[in-house]
Amino acid sequence: MTTIAIDNVSRWFGNVVAVNDVTMNIGPGVTGLLGPNGAGKSTLINMMGGFLAPSTGSVTLDGDPIWRNEQAYRHIGIVPEREAMYDFLTGREFVIANAELHGLPDPRGAARKALDTVEMDYAGSRKIATYSKGMRQRVKMASALVHEPSVLLLDEPFNGMDPRQRMQLMDLLRRMGAEGRTVLFSSHILEEVEQLAAHIEVIVAGRHAASGDFRKIRRLMTDRPHRYLVRSSDDRALAAALIADPSTTGIEVDASTGVDGGLHIQAVDFARFTELLPRVARDQGIRLLTVSPSDESLESVFSYLVAA
Protein backbone atom coordinates (compact mmCIF):
# COMPACT_ATOMS: atom_id res chain seq x y z
CA MET A 1 0.00 0.00 0.00
CA THR A 2 2.36 2.70 -1.25
CA THR A 3 1.27 6.30 -0.63
CA ILE A 4 2.75 9.65 -1.65
CA ALA A 5 1.97 12.42 0.83
CA ILE A 6 2.24 16.08 -0.21
CA ASP A 7 2.11 18.26 2.88
CA ASN A 8 1.83 22.08 2.64
CA VAL A 9 4.10 22.11 -0.41
CA SER A 10 5.07 25.24 -2.30
CA ARG A 11 7.58 25.61 -5.08
CA TRP A 12 8.75 28.85 -6.62
CA PHE A 13 11.19 29.79 -9.34
CA GLY A 14 12.52 33.25 -8.63
CA ASN A 15 9.44 35.43 -8.24
CA VAL A 16 7.12 32.90 -9.90
CA VAL A 17 5.08 30.66 -7.58
CA ALA A 18 4.41 27.43 -9.48
CA VAL A 19 2.83 25.47 -6.61
CA ASN A 20 1.20 27.22 -3.67
CA ASP A 21 0.65 25.44 -0.32
CA VAL A 22 -0.71 22.16 -1.72
CA THR A 23 -1.67 19.22 0.51
CA MET A 24 -2.90 15.90 -0.89
CA ASN A 25 -2.37 12.14 -0.54
CA ILE A 26 -1.98 9.83 -3.55
CA GLY A 27 -2.72 6.21 -2.69
CA PRO A 28 -3.19 2.89 -4.51
CA GLY A 29 -5.41 2.93 -7.57
CA VAL A 30 -5.60 5.43 -10.42
CA THR A 31 -5.65 9.14 -9.57
CA GLY A 32 -6.10 11.90 -12.14
CA LEU A 33 -4.33 15.23 -11.64
CA LEU A 34 -6.60 17.63 -13.51
CA GLY A 35 -5.97 21.26 -14.38
CA PRO A 36 -5.48 23.70 -17.24
CA ASN A 37 -2.11 24.10 -18.95
CA GLY A 38 0.31 26.01 -16.74
CA ALA A 39 -1.53 25.07 -13.53
CA GLY A 40 1.52 23.51 -11.87
CA LYS A 41 0.82 19.84 -12.62
CA SER A 42 4.29 19.11 -14.05
CA THR A 43 5.99 20.84 -11.12
CA LEU A 44 4.02 18.69 -8.67
CA ILE A 45 4.87 15.49 -10.55
CA ASN A 46 8.55 16.43 -10.69
CA MET A 47 8.55 16.88 -6.90
CA MET A 48 6.79 13.53 -6.45
CA GLY A 49 9.40 11.93 -8.71
CA GLY A 50 12.32 13.44 -6.83
CA PHE A 51 13.44 15.70 -9.69
CA LEU A 52 12.65 18.91 -7.78
CA ALA A 53 12.88 19.86 -4.12
CA PRO A 54 9.91 21.65 -2.57
CA SER A 55 10.68 25.22 -1.55
CA THR A 56 8.57 24.63 1.58
CA GLY A 57 6.68 21.62 2.88
CA SER A 58 7.41 17.95 2.31
CA VAL A 59 6.82 15.23 -0.30
CA THR A 60 7.16 11.74 1.17
CA LEU A 61 6.84 8.13 0.01
CA ASP A 62 5.42 5.99 2.83
CA GLY A 63 6.76 8.55 5.29
CA ASP A 64 10.26 8.94 3.82
CA PRO A 65 11.28 12.13 1.99
CA ILE A 66 11.60 11.59 -1.78
CA TRP A 67 14.09 14.39 -2.49
CA ARG A 68 17.68 13.02 -2.53
CA ASN A 69 16.46 9.58 -1.49
CA GLU A 70 18.00 7.06 -3.89
CA GLN A 71 15.94 4.21 -2.43
CA ALA A 72 12.73 5.93 -3.58
CA TYR A 73 13.65 5.31 -7.22
CA ARG A 74 13.32 1.56 -6.65
CA HIS A 75 9.60 2.17 -6.16
CA ILE A 76 8.87 5.04 -8.57
CA GLY A 77 8.51 5.05 -12.36
CA ILE A 78 8.00 8.39 -14.10
CA VAL A 79 6.87 9.26 -17.64
CA PRO A 80 7.71 12.95 -18.23
CA GLU A 81 5.90 15.06 -20.79
CA ARG A 82 9.15 16.35 -22.29
CA GLU A 83 10.62 14.60 -25.32
CA ALA A 84 14.20 14.38 -23.98
CA MET A 85 15.25 11.01 -25.43
CA TYR A 86 18.31 9.47 -27.07
CA ASP A 87 17.15 9.35 -30.68
CA PHE A 88 20.26 7.47 -31.85
CA LEU A 89 19.30 4.43 -29.74
CA THR A 90 16.75 1.82 -30.66
CA GLY A 91 13.71 1.55 -28.43
CA ARG A 92 15.04 -1.72 -27.01
CA GLU A 93 18.48 -0.22 -26.28
CA PHE A 94 16.83 2.70 -24.49
CA VAL A 95 14.78 0.43 -22.22
CA ILE A 96 17.75 -1.90 -21.58
CA ALA A 97 19.83 1.12 -20.54
CA ASN A 98 17.18 2.04 -17.98
CA ALA A 99 17.10 -1.55 -16.71
CA GLU A 100 20.88 -1.44 -16.27
CA LEU A 101 20.66 1.86 -14.37
CA HIS A 102 18.32 0.13 -11.92
CA GLY A 103 20.84 -2.70 -11.53
CA LEU A 104 18.40 -5.40 -12.64
CA PRO A 105 19.91 -8.90 -12.89
CA ASP A 106 18.51 -9.55 -16.39
CA PRO A 107 18.27 -6.18 -18.19
CA ARG A 108 17.41 -7.67 -21.60
CA GLY A 109 14.68 -9.88 -20.20
CA ALA A 110 13.21 -7.00 -18.19
CA ALA A 111 13.30 -4.73 -21.27
CA ARG A 112 11.61 -7.38 -23.40
CA LYS A 113 8.82 -7.76 -20.82
CA ALA A 114 8.32 -3.99 -20.50
CA LEU A 115 8.19 -3.45 -24.27
CA ASP A 116 5.72 -6.31 -24.61
CA THR A 117 3.57 -4.79 -21.84
CA VAL A 118 3.16 -1.55 -23.82
CA GLU A 119 2.88 -3.44 -27.16
CA MET A 120 6.10 -1.97 -28.55
CA ASP A 121 8.22 -5.11 -28.90
CA TYR A 122 7.54 -5.14 -32.65
CA ALA A 123 9.33 -1.77 -33.03
CA GLY A 124 12.08 -2.37 -30.48
CA SER A 125 14.82 -2.68 -33.11
CA ARG A 126 13.98 0.66 -34.74
CA LYS A 127 15.76 3.91 -33.89
CA ILE A 128 13.78 6.20 -31.62
CA ALA A 129 14.34 8.95 -34.22
CA THR A 130 11.89 7.09 -36.49
CA TYR A 131 9.13 6.84 -33.88
CA SER A 132 5.89 8.82 -33.96
CA LYS A 133 4.97 10.82 -30.84
CA GLY A 134 2.61 8.08 -29.72
CA MET A 135 5.36 5.45 -30.07
CA ARG A 136 7.75 7.67 -28.11
CA GLN A 137 5.18 7.92 -25.34
CA ARG A 138 4.90 4.15 -25.17
CA VAL A 139 8.66 3.51 -25.12
CA LYS A 140 8.96 6.08 -22.29
CA MET A 141 6.26 4.08 -20.53
CA ALA A 142 8.26 0.88 -21.04
CA SER A 143 11.37 2.48 -19.54
CA ALA A 144 9.31 3.60 -16.52
CA LEU A 145 7.90 0.08 -16.02
CA VAL A 146 11.12 -1.87 -16.55
CA HIS A 147 11.85 -2.23 -12.81
CA GLU A 148 8.16 -2.97 -11.99
CA PRO A 149 7.61 0.05 -9.71
CA SER A 150 4.81 0.27 -7.16
CA VAL A 151 4.27 3.96 -8.05
CA LEU A 152 3.82 5.27 -11.58
CA LEU A 153 3.73 9.01 -12.35
CA LEU A 154 2.68 10.11 -15.85
CA ASP A 155 2.66 13.69 -17.13
CA GLU A 156 0.09 14.16 -19.94
CA PRO A 157 0.68 10.56 -21.14
CA PHE A 158 -2.00 10.56 -23.86
CA ASN A 159 -0.56 13.48 -25.86
CA GLY A 160 0.10 12.43 -29.45
CA MET A 161 -1.53 9.02 -29.17
CA ASP A 162 -4.08 7.81 -31.68
CA PRO A 163 -7.41 6.42 -30.36
CA ARG A 164 -6.20 2.80 -30.38
CA GLN A 165 -3.01 3.65 -28.48
CA ARG A 166 -5.02 5.67 -25.94
CA MET A 167 -7.38 2.76 -25.28
CA GLN A 168 -4.43 0.36 -24.86
CA LEU A 169 -2.73 2.67 -22.36
CA MET A 170 -5.97 3.26 -20.45
CA ASP A 171 -6.51 -0.50 -20.16
CA LEU A 172 -2.93 -0.95 -18.92
CA LEU A 173 -3.28 1.77 -16.26
CA ARG A 174 -6.61 0.33 -15.10
CA ARG A 175 -4.95 -3.07 -14.67
CA MET A 176 -2.08 -1.56 -12.72
CA GLY A 177 -4.48 0.29 -10.44
CA ALA A 178 -6.48 -2.90 -9.89
CA GLU A 179 -3.22 -4.66 -8.90
CA GLY A 180 -2.82 -2.18 -6.05
CA ARG A 181 -0.18 0.05 -7.60
CA THR A 182 -0.29 3.80 -7.05
CA VAL A 183 -0.87 5.43 -10.45
CA LEU A 184 -1.07 9.19 -10.96
CA PHE A 185 -1.50 10.82 -14.36
CA SER A 186 -1.99 14.46 -15.28
CA SER A 187 -4.34 15.85 -17.90
CA HIS A 188 -6.12 19.07 -18.85
CA ILE A 189 -9.02 17.12 -20.42
CA LEU A 190 -11.86 16.29 -18.04
CA GLU A 191 -13.34 13.52 -20.22
CA GLU A 192 -9.94 11.78 -20.33
CA VAL A 193 -9.74 11.77 -16.54
CA GLU A 194 -13.36 10.63 -16.15
CA GLN A 195 -12.75 7.53 -18.26
CA LEU A 196 -9.82 6.34 -16.19
CA ALA A 197 -9.44 7.83 -12.71
CA ALA A 198 -11.29 6.61 -9.63
CA HIS A 199 -10.12 9.73 -7.80
CA ILE A 200 -9.41 13.25 -9.07
CA GLU A 201 -7.25 16.06 -7.70
CA VAL A 202 -7.83 19.47 -9.30
CA ILE A 203 -5.06 22.07 -9.37
CA VAL A 204 -5.40 25.60 -10.76
CA ALA A 205 -2.79 28.38 -10.77
CA GLY A 206 -0.65 26.32 -8.40
CA ARG A 207 -3.43 25.89 -5.85
CA HIS A 208 -5.35 22.77 -4.81
CA ALA A 209 -8.90 23.50 -5.99
CA ALA A 210 -10.90 20.30 -5.40
CA SER A 211 -10.60 16.62 -4.54
CA GLY A 212 -12.93 13.65 -4.94
CA ASP A 213 -14.33 11.18 -7.44
CA PHE A 214 -15.26 12.42 -10.89
CA ARG A 215 -18.97 12.59 -9.98
CA LYS A 216 -18.20 15.08 -7.22
CA ILE A 217 -15.94 17.14 -9.48
CA ARG A 218 -18.50 17.07 -12.31
CA ARG A 219 -21.21 18.14 -9.84
CA LEU A 220 -19.08 21.07 -8.66
CA MET A 221 -18.65 22.11 -12.27
CA THR A 222 -22.35 21.69 -13.06
CA ASP A 223 -23.56 23.47 -9.93
CA ARG A 224 -21.44 26.57 -10.46
CA PRO A 225 -23.04 29.71 -12.01
CA HIS A 226 -23.23 29.44 -15.80
CA ARG A 227 -23.25 32.25 -18.34
CA TYR A 228 -25.18 31.90 -21.59
CA LEU A 229 -25.50 33.93 -24.72
CA VAL A 230 -29.10 33.72 -25.96
CA ARG A 231 -30.51 35.34 -29.10
CA SER A 232 -34.19 35.16 -29.90
CA SER A 233 -36.94 36.75 -31.95
CA ASP A 234 -37.79 39.02 -28.96
CA ASP A 235 -34.88 39.37 -26.54
CA ARG A 236 -36.53 41.95 -24.29
CA ALA A 237 -39.72 39.96 -23.75
CA LEU A 238 -37.66 36.84 -23.07
CA ALA A 239 -35.48 38.71 -20.56
CA ALA A 240 -38.52 40.03 -18.70
CA ALA A 241 -39.91 36.50 -18.33
CA LEU A 242 -36.61 34.89 -17.28
CA ILE A 243 -35.44 37.47 -14.74
CA ALA A 244 -38.50 36.79 -12.56
CA ASP A 245 -37.34 33.19 -12.00
CA PRO A 246 -34.88 32.39 -9.17
CA SER A 247 -32.74 30.23 -11.50
CA THR A 248 -31.27 33.44 -12.97
CA THR A 249 -29.44 36.20 -11.08
CA GLY A 250 -28.64 38.61 -13.89
CA ILE A 251 -29.49 39.34 -17.50
CA GLU A 252 -27.77 41.91 -19.70
CA VAL A 253 -29.15 43.00 -23.06
CA ASP A 254 -26.39 43.18 -25.65
CA ALA A 255 -27.13 46.21 -27.80
CA SER A 256 -23.70 46.25 -29.48
CA THR A 257 -25.12 44.72 -32.65
CA GLY A 258 -28.35 46.70 -32.62
CA VAL A 259 -31.80 45.94 -31.23
CA ASP A 260 -32.24 42.35 -30.01
CA GLY A 261 -28.50 41.70 -30.29
CA GLY A 262 -28.68 39.01 -27.63
CA LEU A 263 -28.90 38.36 -23.89
CA HIS A 264 -26.06 37.53 -21.51
CA ILE A 265 -27.71 35.42 -18.81
CA GLN A 266 -26.22 34.27 -15.50
CA ALA A 267 -27.91 31.06 -14.33
CA VAL A 268 -27.35 29.77 -10.79
CA ASP A 269 -29.59 26.70 -11.04
CA PHE A 270 -28.36 24.86 -14.13
CA ALA A 271 -31.04 22.13 -14.21
CA ARG A 272 -33.95 24.52 -13.60
CA PHE A 273 -32.74 27.07 -16.15
CA THR A 274 -32.29 24.50 -18.94
CA GLU A 275 -35.89 23.41 -18.40
CA LEU A 276 -37.20 26.98 -17.98
CA LEU A 277 -35.76 28.57 -21.13
CA PRO A 278 -37.48 26.45 -23.80
CA ARG A 279 -40.75 26.42 -21.82
CA VAL A 280 -40.89 30.23 -21.54
CA ALA A 281 -40.02 30.63 -25.22
CA ARG A 282 -42.78 28.22 -26.22
CA ASP A 283 -45.42 29.75 -23.95
CA GLN A 284 -44.71 33.28 -25.20
CA GLY A 285 -44.28 32.37 -28.86
CA ILE A 286 -40.63 33.46 -28.92
CA ARG A 287 -38.26 31.73 -31.33
CA LEU A 288 -34.83 30.84 -29.92
CA LEU A 289 -32.11 31.59 -32.48
CA THR A 290 -28.94 31.00 -30.42
CA VAL A 291 -28.33 29.33 -27.05
CA SER A 292 -24.64 28.90 -26.25
CA PRO A 293 -22.53 28.79 -23.08
CA SER A 294 -20.09 31.69 -22.89
CA ASP A 295 -17.92 30.38 -20.03
CA GLU A 296 -17.30 26.71 -20.79
CA SER A 297 -13.51 26.79 -21.05
CA LEU A 298 -11.74 24.64 -18.47
CA GLU A 299 -9.95 27.75 -17.25
CA SER A 300 -13.25 29.44 -16.34
CA VAL A 301 -14.55 26.29 -14.66
CA PHE A 302 -11.36 25.82 -12.63
CA SER A 303 -11.24 29.50 -11.69
CA TYR A 304 -14.70 29.11 -10.16
CA LEU A 305 -13.54 26.03 -8.21
CA VAL A 306 -10.59 27.97 -6.77
CA ALA A 307 -12.86 30.82 -5.67
CA ALA A 308 -15.61 28.54 -4.30
Side-chain angles (χ1 to χ4, degrees):
M1 299 288 287
T2 305
T3 301
I4 292 180
I6 300 167
D7 187 22
N8 298 118
V9 165
S10 297
R11 172 70 201 200
W12 51 80
F13 301 90
N15 294 326
V16 177
V17 179
V19 172
N20 187 3
D21 195 26
V22 169
T23 296
M24 64 175 71
N25 289 321
I26 310 299
V30 182
T31 298
L33 184 62
L34 178 67
N37 291 324
K41 302 188 300 296
S42 295
T43 301
L44 263 180
I45 287 176
N46 284 334
M47 287 191 285
M48 291 185 228
F51 293 161
L52 279 176
S55 299
T56 61
S58 64
V59 183
T60 58
L61 179 70
D62 289 340
D64 295 323
I66 295 174
W67 175 245
R68 291 184 174 173
N69 177 5
E70 293 180 6
Q71 296 304 313
Y73 295 110
R74 297 182 182 276
H75 307 284
I76 296 173
I78 187 164
V79 181
E81 184 181 15
R82 293 174 308 182
E83 285 297 322
M85 301 179 73
Y86 298 100
D87 285 358
F88 59 89
L89 295 177
T90 66
R92 185 170 291 108
E93 289 169 342
F94 178 69
V95 181
I96 289 172
N98 279 275
E100 291 173 340
L101 286 171
H102 282 288
L104 300 183
D106 180 13
R108 290 184 176 275
R112 188 182 310 110
K113 181 179 179 181
L115 286 167
D116 186 59
T117 298
V118 299
E119 301 187 19
M120 275 291 287
D121 192 55
Y122 76 96
S125 59
R126 286 174 48 184
K127 299 282 189 185
I128 292 175
T130 68
Y131 284 179
S132 67
K133 184 171 178 60
M135 294 171 73
R136 284 170 174 261
Q137 290 287 80
R138 285 192 288 163
V139 83
K140 284 193 295 185
M141 182 78 176
S143 70
L145 291 175
V146 73
H147 60 301
E148 299 188 0
S150 57
V151 176
L152 187 62
L153 307 172
L154 306 98
D155 195 1
E156 298 280 358
F158 301 105
N159 282 355
M161 288 191 170
D162 63 35
R164 178 176 170 274
Q165 292 169 340
R166 289 160 64 91
M167 291 302 298
Q168 288 173 339
L169 180 55
M170 283 188 176
D171 287 343
L172 173 60
L173 297 182
R174 286 191 192 98
R175 291 200 305 272
M176 293 179 65
E179 291 169 2
R181 300 199 207 190
T182 298
V183 180
L184 174 93
F185 75 99
S186 70
S187 177
H188 60 279
I189 302 172
L190 178 60
E191 287 72 20
E192 203 168 73
V193 176
E194 279 186 359
Q195 291 180 51
L196 182 56
H199 186 85
I200 298 173
E201 302 287 349
V202 181
I203 184 167
V204 188
R207 294 172 56 193
H208 193 197
S211 178
D213 65 23
F214 77 84
R215 295 175 188 85
K216 176 184 175 183
I217 303 303
R218 180 63 97 174
R219 188 164 58 249
L220 283 169
M221 292 181 173
T222 300
D223 289 348
R224 82 190 201 284
H226 286 66
R227 288 185 62 83
Y228 290 92
L229 171 63
V230 177
R231 293 190 176 94
S232 71
S233 59
D234 191 339
D235 287 346
R236 295 183 185 277
L238 182 63
L242 293 175
I243 196 61
D245 192 90
S247 66
T248 64
T249 57
I251 299 178
E252 297 175 11
V253 178
D254 184 358
S256 60
T257 57
V259 178
D260 293 339
L263 302 174
H264 293 285
I265 302 172
Q266 175 124 330
V268 291
D269 186 334
F270 174 75
R272 181 180 174 93
F273 175 75
T274 54
E275 182 274 331
L276 173 72
L277 178 62
R279 177 165 53 81
V280 167
R282 181 196 62 207
D283 292 348
Q284 301 213 8
I286 298 171
R287 190 156 53 96
L288 296 174
L289 306 175
T290 300
V291 179
S292 65
S294 57
D295 63 347
E296 285 301 286
S297 71
L298 278 177
E299 285 77 5
S300 69
V301 173
F302 293 148
S303 295
Y304 169 73
L305 292 179
V306 169

